[in-house]
PDB file of all heavy atoms in Angstrom:
ATOM      1  N   PHE A   1      21.557  13.039  13.547  1.00  0.00           N
ATOM      2  CA  PHE A   1      21.906  11.667  13.958  1.00  0.00           C
ATOM      3  C   PHE A   1      21.602  11.457  15.424  1.00  0.00           C
ATOM      4  O   PHE A   1      21.252  10.383  15.856  1.00  0.00           O
ATOM      5  CB  PHE A   1      23.395  11.405  13.716  1.00  0.00           C
ATOM      6  CG  PHE A   1      23.734  11.237  12.263  1.00  0.00           C
ATOM      7  CD1 PHE A   1      24.601  12.104  11.647  1.00  0.00           C
ATOM      8  CD2 PHE A   1      23.090  10.257  11.483  1.00  0.00           C
ATOM      9  CE1 PHE A   1      24.898  11.935  10.260  1.00  0.00           C
ATOM     10  CE2 PHE A   1      23.403  10.105  10.159  1.00  0.00           C
ATOM     11  CZ  PHE A   1      24.278  10.958   9.532  1.00  0.00           C
ATOM     12  N   LEU A   2      21.672  12.564  16.247  1.00  0.00           N
ATOM     13  CA  LEU A   2      21.367  12.457  17.666  1.00  0.00           C
ATOM     14  C   LEU A   2      19.937  12.069  17.884  1.00  0.00           C
ATOM     15  O   LEU A   2      19.602  11.274  18.747  1.00  0.00           O
ATOM     16  CB  LEU A   2      21.723  13.782  18.345  1.00  0.00           C
ATOM     17  CG  LEU A   2      21.419  13.840  19.854  1.00  0.00           C
ATOM     18  CD1 LEU A   2      22.264  12.824  20.608  1.00  0.00           C
ATOM     19  CD2 LEU A   2      21.672  15.264  20.358  1.00  0.00           C
ATOM     20  N   PHE A   3      19.029  12.671  17.080  1.00  0.00           N
ATOM     21  CA  PHE A   3      17.597  12.464  17.297  1.00  0.00           C
ATOM     22  C   PHE A   3      17.022  11.304  16.481  1.00  0.00           C
ATOM     23  O   PHE A   3      15.853  10.930  16.653  1.00  0.00           O
ATOM     24  CB  PHE A   3      16.850  13.756  17.013  1.00  0.00           C
ATOM     25  CG  PHE A   3      17.049  14.835  18.039  1.00  0.00           C
ATOM     26  CD1 PHE A   3      17.857  15.904  17.822  1.00  0.00           C
ATOM     27  CD2 PHE A   3      16.389  14.700  19.234  1.00  0.00           C
ATOM     28  CE1 PHE A   3      18.050  16.844  18.753  1.00  0.00           C
ATOM     29  CE2 PHE A   3      16.573  15.696  20.239  1.00  0.00           C
ATOM     30  CZ  PHE A   3      17.420  16.777  19.996  1.00  0.00           C
ATOM     31  N   THR A   4      17.786  10.765  15.508  1.00  0.00           N
ATOM     32  CA  THR A   4      17.265   9.716  14.688  1.00  0.00           C
ATOM     33  C   THR A   4      16.753   8.486  15.440  1.00  0.00           C
ATOM     34  O   THR A   4      15.664   8.002  15.163  1.00  0.00           O
ATOM     35  CB  THR A   4      18.300   9.265  13.678  1.00  0.00           C
ATOM     36  OG1 THR A   4      18.638  10.355  12.806  1.00  0.00           O
ATOM     37  CG2 THR A   4      17.801   8.074  12.819  1.00  0.00           C
ATOM     38  N   PRO A   5      17.489   7.957  16.435  1.00  0.00           N
ATOM     39  CA  PRO A   5      16.944   6.826  17.220  1.00  0.00           C
ATOM     40  C   PRO A   5      15.630   7.129  17.838  1.00  0.00           C
ATOM     41  O   PRO A   5      14.688   6.302  17.827  1.00  0.00           O
ATOM     42  CB  PRO A   5      18.059   6.538  18.247  1.00  0.00           C
ATOM     43  CG  PRO A   5      19.274   7.120  17.619  1.00  0.00           C
ATOM     44  CD  PRO A   5      18.854   8.331  16.894  1.00  0.00           C
ATOM     45  N   ALA A   6      15.513   8.317  18.423  1.00  0.00           N
ATOM     46  CA  ALA A   6      14.225   8.679  19.080  1.00  0.00           C
ATOM     47  C   ALA A   6      13.117   8.724  18.067  1.00  0.00           C
ATOM     48  O   ALA A   6      11.970   8.340  18.338  1.00  0.00           O
ATOM     49  CB  ALA A   6      14.388  10.046  19.787  1.00  0.00           C
ATOM     50  N   ILE A   7      13.406   9.288  16.838  1.00  0.00           N
ATOM     51  CA  ILE A   7      12.398   9.382  15.828  1.00  0.00           C
ATOM     52  C   ILE A   7      11.968   8.013  15.373  1.00  0.00           C
ATOM     53  O   ILE A   7      10.760   7.689  15.207  1.00  0.00           O
ATOM     54  CB  ILE A   7      12.933  10.153  14.622  1.00  0.00           C
ATOM     55  CG1 ILE A   7      13.131  11.626  15.006  1.00  0.00           C
ATOM     56  CG2 ILE A   7      11.994  10.048  13.440  1.00  0.00           C
ATOM     57  CD1 ILE A   7      13.885  12.431  13.959  1.00  0.00           C
ATOM     58  N   CYS A   8      12.895   7.080  15.233  1.00  0.00           N
ATOM     59  CA  CYS A   8      12.600   5.705  14.827  1.00  0.00           C
ATOM     60  C   CYS A   8      11.715   5.018  15.842  1.00  0.00           C
ATOM     61  O   CYS A   8      10.761   4.302  15.503  1.00  0.00           O
ATOM     62  CB  CYS A   8      13.897   4.919  14.646  1.00  0.00           C
ATOM     63  SG  CYS A   8      14.869   5.387  13.233  1.00  0.00           S
ATOM     64  N   ILE A   9      12.009   5.242  17.138  1.00  0.00           N
ATOM     65  CA  ILE A   9      11.180   4.608  18.173  1.00  0.00           C
ATOM     66  C   ILE A   9       9.795   5.158  18.121  1.00  0.00           C
ATOM     67  O   ILE A   9       8.785   4.410  18.216  1.00  0.00           O
ATOM     68  CB  ILE A   9      11.848   4.862  19.563  1.00  0.00           C
ATOM     69  CG1 ILE A   9      13.160   4.109  19.662  1.00  0.00           C
ATOM     70  CG2 ILE A   9      10.877   4.459  20.673  1.00  0.00           C
ATOM     71  CD1 ILE A   9      13.964   4.452  20.911  1.00  0.00           C
ATOM     72  N   ALA A  10       9.662   6.496  17.946  1.00  0.00           N
ATOM     73  CA  ALA A  10       8.343   7.141  17.900  1.00  0.00           C
ATOM     74  C   ALA A  10       7.537   6.586  16.704  1.00  0.00           C
ATOM     75  O   ALA A  10       6.347   6.308  16.883  1.00  0.00           O
ATOM     76  CB  ALA A  10       8.501   8.646  17.787  1.00  0.00           C
ATOM     77  N   VAL A  11       8.199   6.506  15.542  1.00  0.00           N
ATOM     78  CA  VAL A  11       7.498   5.956  14.402  1.00  0.00           C
ATOM     79  C   VAL A  11       7.083   4.518  14.605  1.00  0.00           C
ATOM     80  O   VAL A  11       5.942   4.111  14.234  1.00  0.00           O
ATOM     81  CB  VAL A  11       8.409   6.045  13.129  1.00  0.00           C
ATOM     82  CG1 VAL A  11       7.791   5.302  11.942  1.00  0.00           C
ATOM     83  CG2 VAL A  11       8.628   7.517  12.770  1.00  0.00           C
ATOM     84  N   GLY A  12       7.921   3.719  15.247  1.00  0.00           N
ATOM     85  CA  GLY A  12       7.578   2.361  15.546  1.00  0.00           C
ATOM     86  C   GLY A  12       6.376   2.254  16.455  1.00  0.00           C
ATOM     87  O   GLY A  12       5.480   1.454  16.221  1.00  0.00           O
ATOM     88  N   LEU A  13       6.354   3.115  17.482  1.00  0.00           N
ATOM     89  CA  LEU A  13       5.204   3.084  18.410  1.00  0.00           C
ATOM     90  C   LEU A  13       3.936   3.533  17.691  1.00  0.00           C
ATOM     91  O   LEU A  13       2.854   2.966  17.920  1.00  0.00           O
ATOM     92  CB  LEU A  13       5.489   4.018  19.591  1.00  0.00           C
ATOM     93  CG  LEU A  13       6.533   3.488  20.566  1.00  0.00           C
ATOM     94  CD1 LEU A  13       6.827   4.577  21.617  1.00  0.00           C
ATOM     95  CD2 LEU A  13       6.075   2.216  21.235  1.00  0.00           C
ATOM     96  N   MET A  14       4.040   4.519  16.810  1.00  0.00           N
ATOM     97  CA  MET A  14       2.844   5.001  16.091  1.00  0.00           C
ATOM     98  C   MET A  14       2.289   3.882  15.199  1.00  0.00           C
ATOM     99  O   MET A  14       1.078   3.708  15.121  1.00  0.00           O
ATOM    100  CB  MET A  14       3.233   6.183  15.189  1.00  0.00           C
ATOM    101  CG  MET A  14       3.451   7.487  16.016  1.00  0.00           C
ATOM    102  SD  MET A  14       3.974   8.819  14.973  1.00  0.00           S
ATOM    103  CE  MET A  14       2.570   9.034  13.906  1.00  0.00           C
ATOM    104  N   SER A  15       3.187   3.113  14.567  1.00  0.00           N
ATOM    105  CA  SER A  15       2.731   2.056  13.694  1.00  0.00           C
ATOM    106  C   SER A  15       2.042   0.961  14.502  1.00  0.00           C
ATOM    107  O   SER A  15       1.114   0.268  14.066  1.00  0.00           O
ATOM    108  CB  SER A  15       3.914   1.432  12.882  1.00  0.00           C
ATOM    109  OG  SER A  15       4.854   0.859  13.783  1.00  0.00           O
ATOM    110  N   PHE A  16       2.530   0.759  15.750  1.00  0.00           N
ATOM    111  CA  PHE A  16       1.907  -0.240  16.640  1.00  0.00           C
ATOM    112  C   PHE A  16       0.466   0.143  17.025  1.00  0.00           C
ATOM    113  O   PHE A  16      -0.428  -0.630  17.105  1.00  0.00           O
ATOM    114  CB  PHE A  16       2.770  -0.397  17.897  1.00  0.00           C
ATOM    115  CG  PHE A  16       2.206  -1.368  18.889  1.00  0.00           C
ATOM    116  CD1 PHE A  16       2.356  -2.756  18.677  1.00  0.00           C
ATOM    117  CD2 PHE A  16       1.539  -0.932  20.012  1.00  0.00           C
ATOM    118  CE1 PHE A  16       1.838  -3.656  19.566  1.00  0.00           C
ATOM    119  CE2 PHE A  16       1.019  -1.836  20.907  1.00  0.00           C
ATOM    120  CZ  PHE A  16       1.172  -3.207  20.697  1.00  0.00           C
ATOM    121  N   TRP A  17       0.283   1.517  17.178  1.00  0.00           N
ATOM    122  CA  TRP A  17      -1.010   1.990  17.614  1.00  0.00           C
ATOM    123  C   TRP A  17      -1.980   2.204  16.456  1.00  0.00           C
ATOM    124  O   TRP A  17      -3.172   2.331  16.672  1.00  0.00           O
ATOM    125  CB  TRP A  17      -0.842   3.314  18.362  1.00  0.00           C
ATOM    126  CG  TRP A  17      -0.284   3.145  19.750  1.00  0.00           C
ATOM    127  CD1 TRP A  17      -0.479   2.086  20.639  1.00  0.00           C
ATOM    128  CD2 TRP A  17       0.639   4.025  20.407  1.00  0.00           C
ATOM    129  NE1 TRP A  17       0.209   2.283  21.740  1.00  0.00           N
ATOM    130  CE2 TRP A  17       0.905   3.451  21.693  1.00  0.00           C
ATOM    131  CE3 TRP A  17       1.267   5.240  20.078  1.00  0.00           C
ATOM    132  CZ2 TRP A  17       1.747   4.046  22.599  1.00  0.00           C
ATOM    133  CZ3 TRP A  17       2.092   5.845  20.985  1.00  0.00           C
ATOM    134  CH2 TRP A  17       2.354   5.251  22.235  1.00  0.00           C
ATOM    135  N   LEU A  18      -1.475   2.284  15.209  1.00  0.00           N
ATOM    136  CA  LEU A  18      -2.383   2.508  14.093  1.00  0.00           C
ATOM    137  C   LEU A  18      -3.364   1.349  13.957  1.00  0.00           C
ATOM    138  O   LEU A  18      -2.972   0.177  14.006  1.00  0.00           O
ATOM    139  CB  LEU A  18      -1.557   2.660  12.804  1.00  0.00           C
ATOM    140  CG  LEU A  18      -0.823   3.977  12.646  1.00  0.00           C
ATOM    141  CD1 LEU A  18       0.020   3.926  11.380  1.00  0.00           C
ATOM    142  CD2 LEU A  18      -1.789   5.183  12.571  1.00  0.00           C
ATOM    143  N   PRO A  19      -4.631   1.630  13.729  1.00  0.00           N
ATOM    144  CA  PRO A  19      -5.633   0.558  13.563  1.00  0.00           C
ATOM    145  C   PRO A  19      -5.411  -0.233  12.299  1.00  0.00           C
ATOM    146  O   PRO A  19      -4.883   0.296  11.302  1.00  0.00           O
ATOM    147  CB  PRO A  19      -6.936   1.277  13.511  1.00  0.00           C
ATOM    148  CG  PRO A  19      -6.603   2.675  13.048  1.00  0.00           C
ATOM    149  CD  PRO A  19      -5.213   2.968  13.590  1.00  0.00           C
ATOM    150  N   SER A  20      -5.750  -1.519  12.303  1.00  0.00           N
ATOM    151  CA  SER A  20      -5.605  -2.359  11.139  1.00  0.00           C
ATOM    152  C   SER A  20      -6.606  -1.877  10.052  1.00  0.00           C
ATOM    153  O   SER A  20      -7.641  -1.335  10.332  1.00  0.00           O
ATOM    154  CB  SER A  20      -5.891  -3.819  11.464  1.00  0.00           C
ATOM    155  OG  SER A  20      -4.984  -4.284  12.469  1.00  0.00           O
ATOM    156  N   GLN A  21      -6.205  -2.178   8.779  1.00  0.00           N
ATOM    157  CA  GLN A  21      -7.096  -1.879   7.664  1.00  0.00           C
ATOM    158  C   GLN A  21      -8.423  -2.660   7.869  1.00  0.00           C
ATOM    159  O   GLN A  21      -8.416  -3.836   8.179  1.00  0.00           O
ATOM    160  CB  GLN A  21      -6.418  -2.279   6.341  1.00  0.00           C
ATOM    161  CG  GLN A  21      -7.302  -2.264   5.158  1.00  0.00           C
ATOM    162  CD  GLN A  21      -6.716  -2.952   3.974  1.00  0.00           C
ATOM    163  OE1 GLN A  21      -5.610  -3.463   4.034  1.00  0.00           O
ATOM    164  NE2 GLN A  21      -7.466  -3.059   2.887  1.00  0.00           N
ATOM    165  N   HIS A  22      -9.530  -2.005   7.622  1.00  0.00           N
ATOM    166  CA  HIS A  22     -10.806  -2.694   7.700  1.00  0.00           C
ATOM    167  C   HIS A  22     -10.969  -3.565   6.453  1.00  0.00           C
ATOM    168  O   HIS A  22     -10.701  -3.146   5.351  1.00  0.00           O
ATOM    169  CB  HIS A  22     -11.972  -1.683   7.750  1.00  0.00           C
ATOM    170  CG  HIS A  22     -13.237  -2.331   8.153  1.00  0.00           C
ATOM    171  ND1 HIS A  22     -13.693  -2.354   9.456  1.00  0.00           N
ATOM    172  CD2 HIS A  22     -14.148  -3.004   7.413  1.00  0.00           C
ATOM    173  CE1 HIS A  22     -14.854  -2.984   9.478  1.00  0.00           C
ATOM    174  NE2 HIS A  22     -15.153  -3.404   8.272  1.00  0.00           N
ATOM    175  N   ILE A  23     -11.343  -4.801   6.672  1.00  0.00           N
ATOM    176  CA  ILE A  23     -11.586  -5.740   5.579  1.00  0.00           C
ATOM    177  C   ILE A  23     -12.966  -6.383   5.687  1.00  0.00           C
ATOM    178  O   ILE A  23     -13.589  -6.327   6.726  1.00  0.00           O
ATOM    179  CB  ILE A  23     -10.489  -6.846   5.587  1.00  0.00           C
ATOM    180  CG1 ILE A  23     -10.537  -7.682   6.843  1.00  0.00           C
ATOM    181  CG2 ILE A  23      -9.093  -6.260   5.378  1.00  0.00           C
ATOM    182  CD1 ILE A  23      -9.737  -8.956   6.766  1.00  0.00           C
ATOM    183  N   THR A  24     -13.347  -6.990   4.553  1.00  0.00           N
ATOM    184  CA  THR A  24     -14.599  -7.728   4.511  1.00  0.00           C
ATOM    185  C   THR A  24     -14.290  -9.220   4.242  1.00  0.00           C
ATOM    186  O   THR A  24     -13.450  -9.524   3.393  1.00  0.00           O
ATOM    187  CB  THR A  24     -15.526  -7.200   3.415  1.00  0.00           C
ATOM    188  OG1 THR A  24     -15.832  -5.810   3.646  1.00  0.00           O
ATOM    189  CG2 THR A  24     -16.823  -7.982   3.331  1.00  0.00           C
ATOM    190  N   VAL A  25     -14.928 -10.070   4.946  1.00  0.00           N
ATOM    191  CA  VAL A  25     -14.879 -11.483   4.727  1.00  0.00           C
ATOM    192  C   VAL A  25     -16.200 -11.942   4.121  1.00  0.00           C
ATOM    193  O   VAL A  25     -17.271 -11.852   4.759  1.00  0.00           O
ATOM    194  CB  VAL A  25     -14.611 -12.272   6.046  1.00  0.00           C
ATOM    195  CG1 VAL A  25     -14.597 -13.787   5.764  1.00  0.00           C
ATOM    196  CG2 VAL A  25     -13.284 -11.853   6.666  1.00  0.00           C
ATOM    197  N   TYR A  26     -16.134 -12.399   2.880  1.00  0.00           N
ATOM    198  CA  TYR A  26     -17.338 -12.835   2.170  1.00  0.00           C
ATOM    199  C   TYR A  26     -17.453 -14.364   2.337  1.00  0.00           C
ATOM    200  O   TYR A  26     -16.474 -15.104   2.198  1.00  0.00           O
ATOM    201  CB  TYR A  26     -17.266 -12.529   0.691  1.00  0.00           C
ATOM    202  CG  TYR A  26     -17.324 -11.042   0.342  1.00  0.00           C
ATOM    203  CD1 TYR A  26     -16.175 -10.262   0.271  1.00  0.00           C
ATOM    204  CD2 TYR A  26     -18.557 -10.400   0.203  1.00  0.00           C
ATOM    205  CE1 TYR A  26     -16.232  -8.898  -0.012  1.00  0.00           C
ATOM    206  CE2 TYR A  26     -18.620  -9.074  -0.052  1.00  0.00           C
ATOM    207  CZ  TYR A  26     -17.479  -8.308  -0.158  1.00  0.00           C
ATOM    208  OH  TYR A  26     -17.551  -6.953  -0.467  1.00  0.00           O
ATOM    209  N   LEU A  27     -18.670 -14.825   2.575  1.00  0.00           N
ATOM    210  CA  LEU A  27     -18.950 -16.235   2.625  1.00  0.00           C
ATOM    211  C   LEU A  27     -19.762 -16.649   1.400  1.00  0.00           C
ATOM    212  O   LEU A  27     -20.856 -16.132   1.190  1.00  0.00           O
ATOM    213  CB  LEU A  27     -19.729 -16.592   3.910  1.00  0.00           C
ATOM    214  CG  LEU A  27     -19.083 -16.153   5.224  1.00  0.00           C
ATOM    215  CD1 LEU A  27     -19.964 -16.642   6.414  1.00  0.00           C
ATOM    216  CD2 LEU A  27     -17.689 -16.669   5.365  1.00  0.00           C
ATOM    217  N   ALA A  28     -19.238 -17.544   0.632  1.00  0.00           N
ATOM    218  CA  ALA A  28     -19.911 -18.048  -0.615  1.00  0.00           C
ATOM    219  C   ALA A  28     -20.154 -19.523  -0.422  1.00  0.00           C
ATOM    220  O   ALA A  28     -19.244 -20.324  -0.266  1.00  0.00           O
ATOM    221  CB  ALA A  28     -19.004 -17.801  -1.813  1.00  0.00           C
ATOM    222  N   GLY A  29     -21.474 -19.859  -0.453  1.00  0.00           N
ATOM    223  CA  GLY A  29     -21.792 -21.278  -0.222  1.00  0.00           C
ATOM    224  C   GLY A  29     -23.285 -21.558  -0.278  1.00  0.00           C
ATOM    225  O   GLY A  29     -24.055 -20.839  -0.899  1.00  0.00           O
ATOM    226  N   ASP A  30     -23.664 -22.641   0.392  1.00  0.00           N
ATOM    227  CA  ASP A  30     -25.040 -23.103   0.334  1.00  0.00           C
ATOM    228  C   ASP A  30     -25.726 -23.052   1.685  1.00  0.00           C
ATOM    229  O   ASP A  30     -25.310 -22.276   2.565  1.00  0.00           O
ATOM    230  CB  ASP A  30     -25.030 -24.566  -0.176  1.00  0.00           C
ATOM    231  CG  ASP A  30     -24.065 -25.486   0.630  1.00  0.00           C
ATOM    232  OD1 ASP A  30     -24.075 -25.372   1.872  1.00  0.00           O
ATOM    233  OD2 ASP A  30     -23.337 -26.285   0.005  1.00  0.00           O
ATOM    234  N   SER A  31     -26.803 -23.841   1.871  1.00  0.00           N
ATOM    235  CA  SER A  31     -27.635 -23.738   3.059  1.00  0.00           C
ATOM    236  C   SER A  31     -26.920 -24.101   4.339  1.00  0.00           C
ATOM    237  O   SER A  31     -27.308 -23.651   5.437  1.00  0.00           O
ATOM    238  CB  SER A  31     -28.863 -24.653   2.903  1.00  0.00           C
ATOM    239  OG  SER A  31     -28.468 -25.950   2.715  1.00  0.00           O
ATOM    240  N   THR A  32     -25.860 -24.863   4.298  1.00  0.00           N
ATOM    241  CA  THR A  32     -25.152 -25.209   5.521  1.00  0.00           C
ATOM    242  C   THR A  32     -24.363 -24.059   6.082  1.00  0.00           C
ATOM    243  O   THR A  32     -23.963 -24.047   7.240  1.00  0.00           O
ATOM    244  CB  THR A  32     -24.192 -26.405   5.259  1.00  0.00           C
ATOM    245  OG1 THR A  32     -23.227 -26.044   4.281  1.00  0.00           O
ATOM    246  CG2 THR A  32     -24.957 -27.647   4.834  1.00  0.00           C
ATOM    247  N   MET A  33     -24.176 -23.027   5.245  1.00  0.00           N
ATOM    248  CA  MET A  33     -23.432 -21.834   5.639  1.00  0.00           C
ATOM    249  C   MET A  33     -24.315 -20.608   5.759  1.00  0.00           C
ATOM    250  O   MET A  33     -23.994 -19.644   6.481  1.00  0.00           O
ATOM    251  CB  MET A  33     -22.373 -21.559   4.564  1.00  0.00           C
ATOM    252  CG  MET A  33     -21.508 -20.326   4.752  1.00  0.00           C
ATOM    253  SD  MET A  33     -20.554 -19.894   3.271  1.00  0.00           S
ATOM    254  CE  MET A  33     -19.056 -20.816   3.538  1.00  0.00           C
ATOM    255  N   SER A  34     -25.496 -20.641   5.166  1.00  0.00           N
ATOM    256  CA  SER A  34     -26.278 -19.400   4.914  1.00  0.00           C
ATOM    257  C   SER A  34     -26.969 -18.898   6.190  1.00  0.00           C
ATOM    258  O   SER A  34     -27.208 -19.639   7.169  1.00  0.00           O
ATOM    259  CB  SER A  34     -27.323 -19.634   3.854  1.00  0.00           C
ATOM    260  OG  SER A  34     -28.316 -20.581   4.305  1.00  0.00           O
ATOM    261  N   ASP A  35     -27.337 -17.580   6.133  1.00  0.00           N
ATOM    262  CA  ASP A  35     -28.230 -17.021   7.145  1.00  0.00           C
ATOM    263  C   ASP A  35     -29.640 -17.583   6.938  1.00  0.00           C
ATOM    264  O   ASP A  35     -30.048 -17.798   5.788  1.00  0.00           O
ATOM    265  CB  ASP A  35     -28.262 -15.479   7.020  1.00  0.00           C
ATOM    266  CG  ASP A  35     -26.939 -14.854   7.422  1.00  0.00           C
ATOM    267  OD1 ASP A  35     -26.127 -15.483   8.097  1.00  0.00           O
ATOM    268  OD2 ASP A  35     -26.780 -13.657   7.043  1.00  0.00           O
ATOM    269  N   LYS A  36     -30.380 -17.774   8.020  1.00  0.00           N
ATOM    270  CA  LYS A  36     -31.683 -18.400   7.915  1.00  0.00           C
ATOM    271  C   LYS A  36     -32.802 -17.391   8.252  1.00  0.00           C
ATOM    272  O   LYS A  36     -32.646 -16.479   9.079  1.00  0.00           O
ATOM    273  CB  LYS A  36     -31.811 -19.574   8.873  1.00  0.00           C
ATOM    274  CG  LYS A  36     -30.733 -20.645   8.702  1.00  0.00           C
ATOM    275  CD  LYS A  36     -30.845 -21.295   7.348  1.00  0.00           C
ATOM    276  CE  LYS A  36     -29.732 -22.337   7.161  1.00  0.00           C
ATOM    277  NZ  LYS A  36     -29.804 -23.011   5.869  1.00  0.00           N
ATOM    278  N   GLU A  37     -33.978 -17.605   7.630  1.00  0.00           N
ATOM    279  CA  GLU A  37     -35.162 -16.837   7.989  1.00  0.00           C
ATOM    280  C   GLU A  37     -35.706 -17.334   9.360  1.00  0.00           C
ATOM    281  O   GLU A  37     -35.426 -18.464   9.760  1.00  0.00           O
ATOM    282  CB  GLU A  37     -36.239 -17.003   6.932  1.00  0.00           C
ATOM    283  CG  GLU A  37     -35.827 -16.443   5.577  1.00  0.00           C
ATOM    284  CD  GLU A  37     -36.939 -16.577   4.571  1.00  0.00           C
ATOM    285  OE1 GLU A  37     -38.121 -16.485   4.962  1.00  0.00           O
ATOM    286  OE2 GLU A  37     -36.624 -16.764   3.355  1.00  0.00           O
ATOM    287  N   VAL A  38     -36.456 -16.462  10.023  1.00  0.00           N
ATOM    288  CA  VAL A  38     -37.004 -16.815  11.302  1.00  0.00           C
ATOM    289  C   VAL A  38     -37.814 -18.093  11.259  1.00  0.00           C
ATOM    290  O   VAL A  38     -37.801 -18.895  12.198  1.00  0.00           O
ATOM    291  CB  VAL A  38     -37.816 -15.623  11.870  1.00  0.00           C
ATOM    292  CG1 VAL A  38     -38.553 -16.002  13.172  1.00  0.00           C
ATOM    293  CG2 VAL A  38     -36.947 -14.384  12.124  1.00  0.00           C
TER     294      VAL A  38
END
């Protein structure tokens, strides 16, 4: 019980430093959204 608060703080700081999950954003649409040729 003496060390529990310290452990909780450490875990909290670790979660803050952990990088976010990598995600993909897909774009579905037409020419107004699309990548263009040179």
